[in-house]
Amino acid sequence: MFGIVRPCSHRLGEGLKTQWMAHLCGLCLALRGDHGQFARVVTNYDGLLISVLTEAQAERTTGWRRTAGPCPLRGMRTASVAQGEGARLAAAVSLVLASAKVRDHVADKDGLLARRPVALAARRVAASWGRAGARTGSDVGFDTAVLVDAVDRQVGIETLAGPGTPLLTVTEPTETATAAAFAHTAVLAGRPGNAEPLAEAGRLFGRLAHLLDAVEDQETDAASGAWNPLTATGTPLVEARRLADDALHGIRLALREVEFTDGKLAHLLLAHELGRSVDRAFGTSGCGHQAHADSARGAFGPPRHGGPYNSQSPQSPYDGQNPYGGGGNPFGGAPSFPPPGPGRRGFWAGCAAAIGVCCTCKVCCADEFEGPWSRKRREGCLGNCDCNCCEACEICECCECCSCCDCGL
């Protein structure tokens, strides 16, 4: 599971953590229910935002939840999970973008995909996912062609981009795709008036996802010779941070214009956690695991020692872990197949390790676990933090944006 919005459980609280897991499991089960077990590999943290936004706007009726059976990733426990059109839209978007990303990896002959038998199998999987996503999208009234077009245009834009090319020219296809997906949640929820502000929030979220992906991958892309939008356009990190901060502010403003039935979880993820994702990528401040003094500087303060602005300092723990696989486009759910670097496992050894991690429930239940391929430490999605939730809220850089709503965050 991957994505830029990865909340710690202490900040969610018990109620919102249960809701968040319901949407995560709902996306996974929607993929399995409509497209089979293998499709579950495209489950991702950002995809569940589609399901969260749909439910947050809809009138409260029965049918939004169902009880799912035991699952190894939940420690063989049953759970109440999200279902319905929101989860299916999230599944369709995840599948189509994963399909496009696989095709991109095949075209670039990345890792094992340079071998013709593997590339042939990958093309078949990509074609199958593309058709499946289009079917599900059609079932919920969403034309996935806008996503396919955006990813196809991305390739041409990256080919032409060079020093002096505006960075926002490179991020535009991603912005267009996410804007369309966010806006359609308003249609599914029966809130057409929300479509415009949600499209704006989605556009800026796509920009942010692309920027953070580029920042986190810049050094690894340089080492491997992969294309990176910051390097290709000559954009300094200071400018990338400015664009990220502007996008984050724009998302918060857009969310104020959205009429929610219950927007607590959506607000926390998109107004609070997204800011922490920016800090994490740029190495400034982050989760409450870090010192209170560091966090008190706010999201837009100067970088801590150890951020990417200081080339002599240690890297962020998330550096080199592109959750989407690949260089410029942050979307896609299929695993990429880079040649193993120092300390990394090969593709097949990583697959074996991933099976072990999943079957022992470490992904969800452990405080942290070793990444199957990268062998870097990662936080389990239900891991406990040793920081104080109240302190974390008091020093949150965007708490003033909660004064205009009754979310209680």
Side-chain angles (χ1 to χ4, degrees), residues 299-320:
F300 308 139
R304 295 183 297 115
H305 179 74
Y309 295 106
N310 184 348
S311 61
Q312 304 301 317
S313 61
Q315 295 301 304
S316 164
Y318 291 90
D319 283 352

Side-chain angles (χ1 to χ4, degrees), residues 209-272:
H210 205 139
L211 286 172
L212 299 191
D213 177 63
V215 169
E216 291 183 338
D217 272 6
Q218 189 172 25
E219 289 196 5
T220 10
D221 288 344
S224 64
W227 194 90
N228 184 283
L230 298 179
T231 304
T233 61
T235 304
L237 283 174
V238 173
E239 174 64 9
R241 179 64 194 249
R242 184 189 70 79
L243 292 172
D245 290 345
D246 286 348
L248 182 62
H249 182 63
I251 290 171
R252 291 170 180 165
L253 292 178
L255 289 178
R256 294 184 183 183
E257 305 300 320
V258 180
E259 184 179 353
F260 289 116
T261 300
D262 181 1
K264 290 182 180 179
L265 181 58
H267 179 90
L268 185 142
L269 295 177
L270 288 170
H272 293 250

